[in-house]
Amino acid sequence: MSSSAIAILGDIHYSTLAKKSMRKYLLKMIEHISKIHQKSLLEIGNRIIIALEIFDEKGIIHLKEYISKKITYNQFCKNAVSLKNWGIGFADYYKPLFNLMADYQMNCVPLFVDPRKAKNNLEARDKMMADMIINHHLKNHNKHLIAIVGDWHSASNHLQNKIIKIIDES
């Protein structure tokens, strides 16, 4: 990750264990990057952007408010309608990750693609997400972008192929 600009992490959305593992993995990445750059963990945290499939443009606003400590976790959960749209307990499942992002003041961007826009086509959703990831990366080329997406999107023949194709064509 120290030389990579973009990383894709697959997530089993409804697994509490997956969220705890994700938090541990991200913390190890931050520690590794901080050693390489010889910066404190807090200095490295704001050089990382977490792109989240579970948030749209409106929902990410509330996560940013929570990360910047403008609202409490309970207020965030109440305001983040997009979390409720995913189903049972997402606020609880993702709490360790959101707390880590708040602890290290990480930036965040949305990656949600409405399945109706993509005509319920996984390949079309991957292409739309790949476009968003590349756009976020181009706007923040000096930062590490970590995309957290459902495990189907992270399979080798999905999202990463779309990203590589976009890069190769540019």
Side-chain angles (χ1 to χ4, degrees):
M1 181 70 196
S2 61
S3 62
S4 298
I6 299 170
I8 300 169
L9 299 179
D11 176 33
I12 302 168
H13 291 312
Y14 291 97
S15 168
T16 305
L17 183 59
K19 301 307 162 287
K20 288 178 183 175
S21 297
M22 185 83 59
R23 184 188 184 287
K24 286 179 187 176
Y25 181 73
L26 285 171
L27 189 54
K28 286 192 183 295
M29 287 173 65
I30 295 168
E31 289 169 350
H32 177 73
I33 294 168
S34 75
K35 284 178 186 172
I36 289 171
H37 293 287
Q38 298 179 348
K39 305 258 184 200
S40 74
L41 291 179
L42 282 173
E43 289 175 298
I44 292 302
N46 67 17
R47 292 183 46 87
I48 294 174
I49 297 172
I50 306 294
L52 294 158
E53 177 192 8
I54 62 169
F55 283 105
D56 60 14
E57 292 285 342
K58 292 179 185 173
I60 205 80
I61 292 168
H62 303 297
L63 180 56
K64 288 179 179 182
E65 289 175 331
Y66 173 68
I67 289 170
S68 64
K69 301 181 184 343
K70 292 180 182 172
I71 61 174
T72 66
Y73 194 76
N74 286 340
Q75 290 169 312
F76 159 65
C77 293
K78 184 179 176 183
N79 296 341
V81 174
S82 52
L83 279 181
K84 296 172 189 138
N85 293 340
W86 280 89
I88 58 168
F90 256 47
D92 293 330
Y93 285 124
Y94 278 88
K95 187 175 183 178
L97 176 63
F98 299 152
N99 286 344
L100 177 74
M101 293 170 68
D103 289 346
Y104 295 101
Q105 296 296 295
M106 293 181 195
N107 299 296
C108 57
V109 293
L111 276 186
F112 178 73
V113 173
D114 188 329
R116 294 169 295 194
K117 271 186 161 177
K119 298 183 173 115
N120 288 318
N121 180 310
L122 184 62
E123 186 174 347
R125 287 180 68 202
D126 286 341
K127 170 69 171 92
M128 295 167 98
M129 267 196 264
D131 288 336
M132 289 190 293
I133 288 169
I134 294 296
N135 287 335
H136 290 308
H137 170 64
L138 291 174
K139 290 177 189 172
N140 302 283
H141 62 277
N142 61 339
K143 296 187 178 190
H144 299 282
L145 188 141
I146 302 168
I148 299 176
V149 297
D151 57 337
W152 285 8
H153 298 291
S154 66
S156 62
N157 61 340
H158 286 275
L159 184 57
Q160 63 187 350
N161 279 357
K162 301 295 181 204
I163 292 170
I164 291 167
K165 186 176 180 182
I166 292 169
I167 292 169
D168 286 346
E169 290 174 353
S170 59

